[in-house]
Amino acid sequence: MRLTLPWPPTINHYYAPGPRPGKYYMTPAARAYRIEVSTRVGAQRMRQGLTGRLRLCVVAFPPDRRARDLDNLLKAVQDALQHAGVYRSDSQIDRLEVERGSVTKGGRVDVLVELLDATDTGWRRALGDA
């Protein structure tokens, strides 16, 4: 399954402190992002509820040249895809690949989600741990 998503809020802007110490809530930007992803997934009839082990490939096309940590945007993308019904839980993701693309006006995130072949040991094989 391939999907193009809008640029997400980073995890630094995804949750905010709640009224009680130690409690956090999802920000309006985070809720809006989840709704937008659900809308795009639904429009493409991609709700699959995948249940196996997954590979998630992400190419992040930032909206400008500011320095950004790629890992800070992954949680928003993973949670939004789960909320949209693409898979049941982001804990199913066994292989996560992320790459920075070129600067693109407005930014975007291209995503590939696919079932992971049970015989594919990937990097573990290369590292001698398979």
Side-chain angles (χ1 to χ4, degrees):
M1 159 186 327
R2 293 180 187 274
L3 189 62
T4 296
L5 303 175
W7 188 257
T10 67
I11 198 65
N12 297 335
H13 297 105
Y14 206 75
Y15 295 104
R20 293 186 288 164
K23 299 294 180 183
Y24 291 86
Y25 70 95
M26 193 177 293
T27 65
R31 287 192 300 275
Y33 186 74
R34 280 174 48 158
I35 290 168
E36 178 62 25
V37 170
S38 289
T39 299
R40 290 185 186 206
V41 168
Q44 294 188 25
R45 294 186 173 92
M46 290 183 153
R47 294 184 200 282
Q48 294 189 8
L50 297 171
T51 58
R53 307 313 303 171
L54 302 174
R55 173 182 177 216
L56 176 65
C57 300
V58 176
V59 181
F61 296 87
D64 54 45
R65 296 192 185 281
R66 286 186 296 174
R68 290 184 166 83
D69 293 344
L70 286 179
D71 59 332
N72 279 347
L73 64 85
L74 289 174
K75 189 63 177 164
V77 171
Q78 291 174 321
D79 285 350
L81 290 170
Q82 176 181 325
H83 180 76
V86 173
Y87 43 76
R88 293 187 180 173
S89 169
D90 56 4
S91 67
Q92 293 171 247
I93 300 168
D94 284 346
R95 179 175 291 173
L96 178 61
E97 300 169 25
V98 61
E99 181 177 325
R100 188 184 319 268
S102 59
V103 172
T104 301
K105 185 177 180 178
R108 77 172 197 268
V109 179
D110 290 350
V111 175
L112 169 69
V113 181
E114 61 186 10
L115 288 171
L116 192 59
D117 182 338
T119 63
D120 182 4
T121 57
W123 284 107
R124 293 185 326 171
R125 182 180 343 109
L127 296 172
D129 188 32

